[in-house]
Amino acid sequence: MVILLPLLLAACDPATLEVSKQRQSIAATPANLENVMSNATVISRDPNPRVPQHGTQVEYHASDGAAYLWYPGNHRIVVGEWKIEAEQGSKPKKCYRYGTNTYNPVTKRRGGKWNCSNPIGGHDDFLRGNVFGLKPGPVPFVTPKHREFYPEHFYQWFGKNSSDIPYVVPRFPKAERLEQRLKEETGRS
């Protein structure tokens, strides 16, 4: 019971509830979701950092449906496709298809087929544009597997000011607190 109390208090936080409503409205229709994802970079962390799967993935979604995935541990960008799919009466899903020469170490599946998932998780940050210049070829640098990173980390590594991060989807208040902790730890403002 003691462990659940902080979780319940966070869930009742008005700012958290407001962000949750905004994210739900974005994911409510295919058009809303496509608008957010088109020409956007998504930084995705594992849903449960205590049970690492992939680690932090960075992916640019071009407006023409091309996808450029910077996957942890990889030396090259994984090129694929993205689209939004919605069945009548259900919420839209984000779908990806990568080449037949690709392999997902978590699902143990080869590429070549479309795979769909829930559109917006609390562990995803959406940034407008191709902020890290992802394209076919080498990754900007190899990121560690099974580690959790935030947009602020990537901005610092690229020598950019984290106050310039072009968020498209509102962040949860927890992310703001983490950003403040990162600034305090690194001495940056």
Side-chain angles (χ1 to χ4, degrees):
M1 182 66 147
V2 174
I3 294 172
L4 292 177
L5 186 57
L7 295 173
L8 291 172
L9 291 174
C12 295
D13 174 45
T16 300
L17 290 173
E18 180 58 31
V19 169
S20 182
K21 286 179 190 175
Q22 290 177 14
R23 283 177 168 243
Q24 287 174 6
S25 72
I26 289 167
T29 70
N32 287 355
L33 186 56
E34 186 166 344
N35 183 47
V36 165
M37 289 188 61
S38 183
N39 188 32
T41 299
V42 180
I43 299 176
S44 299
R45 293 173 303 281
D46 290 330
N48 183 352
R50 296 176 202 267
V51 184
Q53 294 178 336
H54 301 280
T56 302
Q57 300 177 65
V58 179
E59 187 159 27
Y60 172 63
H61 300 88
S63 56
D64 66 359
Y68 304 100
L69 174 63
W70 179 3
Y71 189 83
N74 280 11
H75 292 265
R76 299 192 65 76
I77 295 293
V78 180
V79 178
E81 301 171 273
W82 73 276
K83 68 178 179 177
I84 304 302
E85 201 169 87
E87 294 179 16
Q88 188 67 24
S90 66
K91 287 188 175 184
K93 294 182 181 281
K94 57 184 179 180
C95 303
Y96 298 93
R97 179 171 60 187
Y98 301 100
T100 55
N101 62 335
T102 62
Y103 178 73
N104 184 325
V106 174
T107 64
K108 309 230 183 298
R109 292 184 189 162
R110 293 241 166 250
K113 295 181 180 178
W114 287 100
N115 290 299
C116 301
S117 63
N118 292 328
I120 298 180
H123 50 279
D124 295 334
D125 287 303
F126 291 75
L127 314 179
R128 180 58 55 217
N130 189 357
V131 294
F132 305 120
L134 302 183
K135 61 185 179 194
V139 297
F141 53 88
V142 177
T143 56
K145 297 178 181 181
H146 313 298
R147 295 282 309 276
E148 185 174 68
F149 300 107
Y150 290 82
E152 291 77 14
H153 292 108
F154 288 96
Y155 260 61
Q156 286 181 3
W157 294 329
F158 275 86
K160 297 180 175 188
N161 187 338
S162 62
S163 63
D164 296 334
I165 298 173
Y167 290 104
V168 180
V169 175
R171 300 178 82 195
F172 281 102
K174 177 183 175 187
E176 298 300 329
R177 291 190 294 273
L178 288 169
E179 179 181 358
Q180 183 58 39
R181 190 180 96 206
L182 180 63
K183 286 179 183 178
E184 291 168 1
E185 289 173 358
T186 61
R188 294 190 177 193
S189 55

